[in-house]
């Protein structure tokens, strides 16, 4: 019997993962207010399955957002280990952070919606990603690759502001401006 329970738990975890991946993709295309039926269709499950795993839209948005934040945070130490220099790691991490930000269509409105289930998302992002960014900045400073006075919170806030896209300012524009900002943070030899 324990084997059957383990199999069911593994299937439930796979289904949950499939739903999170589908929701993330649908949110990119349609925003966080996308119909649940579109997410279910993309995941290959019924609408009831979505609600069984995520009883409210806020639960689903929070789970997708948390997964993506955790993935972005985990990238920082990996990039420090794999990159030629701390500044290269920082640049690659910022690229991932920008990708994370510009694909959050409608999340800003959802955060300001007053939905109690979404209140902690901004704090979650700060509590998880600021330390990841700080680790990269500390490594850059130790290698003398960073201008003095650059802090993780300020840099991330500036990046966030540059990633607010609109009709005349698209993802490519945001990436270009963030690259210019990051170049300005680099210590000149």
């Amino acid at each position: 019997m324990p084997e059957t329970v383990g199999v069911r738990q593994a299937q439930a975890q796979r289904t949950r993962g499939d739903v999170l991946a589908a929701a993330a993709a649908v949110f990119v295309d349609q925003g966080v207010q996308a119909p649940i039926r579109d997410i279910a269709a993309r995941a290959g499950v019924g609408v009831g399955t979505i609600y069984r795993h995520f009883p409210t839209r806020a639960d689903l948005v929070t789970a997708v957002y948390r997964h993506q934040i955790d993935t972005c945070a985990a990238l920082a130490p990996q990039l420090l280990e794999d990159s030629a220099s701390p500044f290269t790691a920082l640049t690659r991490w910022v690229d991932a952070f920008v990708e994370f930000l510009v694909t959050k269509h409608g999340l800003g409105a959802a955060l300001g919606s007053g939905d109690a289930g979404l209140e902690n998302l901004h704090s979650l992002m700060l509590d998880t990603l600021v330390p990841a960014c700080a680790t990269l900045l500390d490594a850059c400073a130790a290698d003398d690759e960073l201008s003095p006075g650059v802090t993780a919170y300020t840099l991330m806030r500036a990046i966030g502001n540059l990633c607010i896209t609109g009709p005349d300012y698209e993802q490519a524009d945001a990436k270009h401006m963030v690259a210019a900002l990051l170049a300005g943070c680099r210590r000149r030899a």
Side-chain angles (χ1 to χ4, degrees):
M1 178 138 171
E3 186 173 295
T4 304
V5 171
V7 169
R8 278 191 306 225
Q9 287 174 336
Q11 180 58 40
Q13 284 298 93
R14 277 192 302 277
T15 300
R16 187 176 197 282
D18 291 347
V19 168
L20 287 174
V26 170
F27 290 166
V28 168
D29 293 340
Q30 301 177 39
V32 295
Q33 295 303 324
I36 296 297
R37 70 180 172 278
D38 292 358
I39 296 167
R42 188 164 194 143
V45 299
V47 171
T49 299
I50 303 278
Y51 285 114
R52 186 169 41 259
H53 286 276
F54 307 100
T56 67
R57 179 177 298 276
D59 293 334
L60 178 60
V61 171
T62 300
V64 168
Y65 196 62
R66 177 181 296 276
H67 177 72
Q68 291 176 332
I69 287 171
D70 290 344
T71 299
C72 191
L75 191 57
Q78 177 187 341
L79 290 172
L80 273 174
E81 186 177 312
D82 297 344
S83 298
S85 74
F87 201 85
T88 300
L90 175 64
T91 301
R92 291 175 61 202
W93 187 84
V94 165
D95 289 344
F97 180 58
V98 167
E99 186 69 24
F100 166 77
L101 291 175
V102 298
T103 58
K104 300 297 165 265
H105 303 298
L107 187 58
L111 289 173
S113 70
D115 186 329
L118 298 173
E119 286 178 357
N120 295 326
L121 288 181
H122 184 60
S123 295
L124 173 66
M125 185 175 85
L126 292 177
D127 293 347
T128 306
L129 294 181
V130 169
C133 184
T135 298
L136 292 161
L137 292 177
D138 290 346
C140 288
D143 252 24
D144 205 26
E145 293 186 295
L146 188 67
S147 295
V150 177
T151 66
Y153 177 77
T154 303
L155 178 62
M156 290 177 65
R157 186 168 181 174
I159 291 167
N161 288 337
L162 290 171
C163 288
I164 300 170
T165 58
D168 296 330
Y169 185 77
E170 298 177 357
Q171 185 173 347
D173 300 313
K175 287 181 176 186
H176 176 74
M177 293 307 297
V178 169
L181 169 68
L182 204 52
C185 293
R186 190 165 199 175
R187 185 176 195 81
R188 304 289 178 233

